[in-house]
Amino acid sequence: MFRSLASAWAVGLLLLVTPGGGSASPASLVPGTGTGPKWAMRRIVAGALVPGMRTGPYRVAGRMVSRTSARRRFNSRALSRPISVPGVGSVRIVVGYTAAGYGAAPMLERELGGETVARIPELHADVLRFVGDADAALAMLRADPRVRYAELDAVVHALRVPNDELLPTQWSITKTHAEQAWDATTGSSQVVVAIVDTGVDPTQPDLSGKLVAGYDYVNNDQDPSDDNGHGTAVAGIVAANTDNRIGVAGYCWACRLMPVKVLGADGTGFASGLAQGIVWATDHGARVINASLGSPVDDLTLTAAAQYAWLHGVLVVAAAGNESSPTSDYPAVLPNVLSVSASDENDRLYGFSNSGADVAAPGENSTTGLGSGYISFLGTSSAAPVVSGIAALAFSLVPSATPAQVEQAIESSAVSTPGVATGRVDAYATLHTLAPALTSIGPGQARQEGGGTRGGATRTKVVRGRLTSRGSRSIVLKTGTGLLSATVEARGRLRIRLRLVAARRVVASARGSGRASLRTRVRARTYRLLVSTTSHKPLRFALTVSYPAASS
């Protein structure tokens, strides 16, 4: 039939084998998701001998065989099965090369008949698709001296538990003392948090104007829109718009969000896609990467990606997982990743939460849903963005901080909680540990003078700042019962306005040209005092507010 063995190996044949034929469909790698189609297609394409390839032995299906036997296994089923419909049942293999060997990767991949799905040059790794025998392909790759490792591409999935829409309530903000942290900084637009997830919905009103350019590694395009909802929920916890009289408050008000889509509409994706997303976010300016997803499978490419981010000054924060396990999922368990378990209002881990993580964070948060909706989001996927938001505040306060310094501040200031290495995170304590004087205020942020003074039962704050064209600034006040008075002054006769807000409702307001004052009675609760302008010109302001101190 063929004039030589070499010409026979050069022919590509398609065949059908049962799922038991030696490799698993991607779906079968996730417990509870099924075993894939009854028939899985394999494509056998054998090339000439690879220069430099060792002669064996190879490990195939758990036993050692010669190279001849490996190639025979790789090709034999081609003669015993009918031709298949293309596109069904392929397997993905991630190959990590030596630095010197990566240049020859395309030739090797062609000779083995693999389709190159993706390249990650920063990690000297490629993702290949095979429809041949996975065991034989892995054995031949691992035998090549240019290959550091070859492994099946693990499946990662969003870490969520069921939730329902409800009126937003945010006990997380109070538990982590975020309001006090906001007196120091509400974030900086120069700090970007990458949401490596199912994408982010750009039409969500509370995320309007927050998104920088991202990427979609599921569809390989530049439209990382969310067709699942998980990524949008994560994004809202990190940095939803605040002071806009709708929705919820994100932890880092002024920070920007970078959507990197690595999970599809069903909430699953590949570890190689996650590694690509981490590298892409690192190379495009993220300071924090949030990964509210996971897999039980160790993955060397993902490990290299996390290391790549750390070495480039980026902190990776990952959810520990929701399997009630004593160990975290990947990538949370990796070195140079800050892992997060989910804690409740009593600083105890939820029963579903994996334990053993570095820190815990509130695992129930009200946040943004698809469209204009809002949801209660429960799980370690919800806890991780709390930590990412706090880390973003820390980088905003001290732009020169390293990931190690921010992680140390978060961990050393945490409130002791059983089940994790350190404790439950505290936003204010993190900032205070990182910069005790709390004086490094980022560009465009209000600066509080002297941290406020107490006089009997009254507290006074003086805040100076700068408003851009039609912009606003705010401070958070935790008051007792009594009289609140506030006065704001601006240079010139520019229009300026004061608003006191509680639970998204305006309690009192005042406006004027160059000066505005308000006085009103308040009760024991948390308020937000906003300073805004309708002027097209930027202006500097000074705000003085006196209010009854909250009882400790």
Side-chain angles (χ1 to χ4, degrees):
M1 179 176 181
F2 299 106
R3 293 184 178 179
S4 67
L5 181 61
S7 64
W9 281 350
V11 177
L13 297 175
L14 300 179
L15 69 158
L16 289 174
V17 299
T18 64
S23 59
S25 70
S28 68
L29 299 177
V30 180
T33 59
T35 58
K38 181 178 179 180
W39 292 96
M41 185 194 76
R42 315 282 188 220
R43 184 180 61 186
I44 307 305
V45 182
L49 293 178
V50 179
M53 180 175 282
R54 294 192 294 269
T55 58
Y58 301 94
R59 182 176 296 277
V60 178
R63 59 191 181 88
M64 305 305 294
V65 300
S66 68
R67 179 171 64 182
T68 301
S69 297
R71 283 197 182 278
R72 186 177 297 122
R73 178 185 172 101
F74 198 61
N75 287 281
S76 63
R77 289 194 179 91
L79 304 178
S80 60
R81 299 290 182 181
I83 299 299
S84 165
V85 178
V88 180
S90 60
V91 296
R92 291 164 58 115
I93 295 176
V94 184
V95 186
Y97 294 89
T98 64
Y102 191 54
M107 179 180 67
L108 173 61
E109 292 160 8
R110 285 194 301 270
E111 289 171 341
L112 292 179
E115 175 191 355
T116 304
V117 177
R119 307 202 79 199
I120 316 176
E122 298 86 350
L123 308 181
H124 299 137
D126 284 359
V127 185
L128 309 179
R129 180 182 288 118
F130 282 96
V131 282
D133 189 301
D135 287 340
L138 286 168
M140 296 178 73
L141 285 165
R142 290 166 180 167
D144 193 290
R146 294 165 292 188
V147 173
R148 290 186 297 118
Y149 64 86
E151 58 190 8
L152 290 176
D153 198 0
V155 171
V156 294
H157 54 96
L159 301 175
R160 72 155 102 215
V161 296
N163 55 67
D164 299 299
E165 288 195 24
L166 50 71
L167 181 67
T169 58
Q170 291 184 279
W171 60 265
S172 167
I173 296 294
T174 303
K175 175 63 72 173
T176 59
H177 298 110
E179 293 158 340
Q180 290 85 339
W182 293 336
D183 282 348
T185 179
T186 55
S188 166
S189 61
Q190 301 303 307
V191 175
V192 176
V193 181
I195 308 299
V196 182
D197 212 286
T198 62
V200 176
D201 184 359
T203 69
Q204 224 295 338
D206 246 346
L207 301 176
S208 175
K210 304 288 290 188
L211 304 184
V212 301
Y215 196 80
D216 178 355
Y217 279 104
V218 176
N219 302 297
N220 292 313
D221 59 39
Q222 296 179 344
D223 179 18
S225 296
D226 192 355
D227 48 9
N228 176 279
H230 190 269
T232 300
V234 169
I237 297 170
V238 175
N241 277 314
T242 307
D243 295 341
N244 59 349
R245 302 182 66 181
I246 63 169
V248 292
Y251 268 79
C252 195
W253 303 1
C255 293
R256 309 293 290 279
L257 296 164
M258 176 187 291
V260 182
K261 184 177 178 68
V262 300
L263 303 178
D266 63 352
T268 66
F270 287 100
S272 61
L274 174 56
Q276 287 180 284
I278 290 173
V279 170
W280 193 92
T282 298
D283 290 346
H284 287 80
R287 288 302 304 275
V288 181
I289 295 175
N290 188 93
S292 288
L293 43 75
S295 168
V297 181
D298 190 4
D299 186 274
L300 293 174
T301 307
L302 190 52
T303 303
Q307 177 76 358
Y308 181 87
W310 180 269
L311 293 176
H312 286 78
V314 180
L315 178 63
V316 179
V317 179
N322 301 328
E323 294 84 37
S324 304
S325 170
T327 58
S328 297
D329 286 347
Y330 293 90
V333 77
L334 294 175
N336 303 323
V337 173
L338 181 54
S339 55
V340 187
S341 294
S343 58
D344 62 19
E345 292 181 80
N346 299 314
D347 284 339
R348 300 283 180 178
L349 296 189
Y350 282 100
F352 59 77
S353 176
N354 290 357
S355 56
D358 297 317
V359 296
E364 182 180 12
N365 294 274
S366 296
T367 185
T368 46
L370 293 177
S372 57
Y374 296 90
I375 62 170
S376 178
F377 189 30
L378 179 64
T380 56
S381 274
S382 182
V386 171
V387 179
S388 294
I390 293 172
L393 288 175
F395 281 121
S396 299
L397 189 65
V398 186
S400 61
T402 65
Q405 290 170 331
V406 170
E407 181 173 343
Q408 192 276 336
I410 290 172
E411 293 179 352
S412 64
S413 63
V415 177
S416 180
T417 301
V420 294
T422 56
R424 188 260 304 150
V425 295
D426 185 295
Y428 176 78
T430 294
L431 300 188
H432 186 71
T433 300
L434 185 65
L438 297 180
T439 55
S440 265
I441 307 300
Q445 297 298 313
R447 182 183 299 276
Q448 180 180 316
E449 295 185 343
T453 60
R454 290 186 182 273
T458 301
R459 186 174 185 185
T460 299
K461 287 186 178 183
V462 179
V463 176
R464 300 182 187 277
R466 183 174 182 269
L467 292 176
T468 57
S469 175
R470 294 191 174 185
S472 67
R473 291 289 183 268
S474 73
I475 60 172
V476 175
L477 308 172
K478 194 171 183 179
T479 72
T481 301
L483 183 67
L484 178 147
S485 62
T487 299
V488 62
E489 296 180 309
R491 295 180 181 178
R493 301 288 295 171
L494 299 177
R495 299 289 296 175
I496 196 164
R497 183 183 183 189
L498 274 176
R499 285 176 293 162
L500 185 67
V501 177
R504 308 197 306 278
R505 294 172 55 186
V506 177
V507 176
S509 65
R511 67 181 68 197
S513 297
R515 190 177 194 275
S517 298
L518 65 80
R519 289 168 59 88
T520 187
R521 290 195 63 80
V522 293
R523 55 191 179 90
R525 67 177 306 169
T526 299
Y527 293 87
R528 187 168 291 118
L529 184 62
L530 292 87
V531 183
S532 60
T533 180
T534 57
S535 170
H536 291 279
K537 298 179 180 180
L539 61 84
R540 296 188 178 277
F541 70 90
L543 169 66
T544 302
V545 55
S546 297
Y547 58 94
S551 58
S552 56

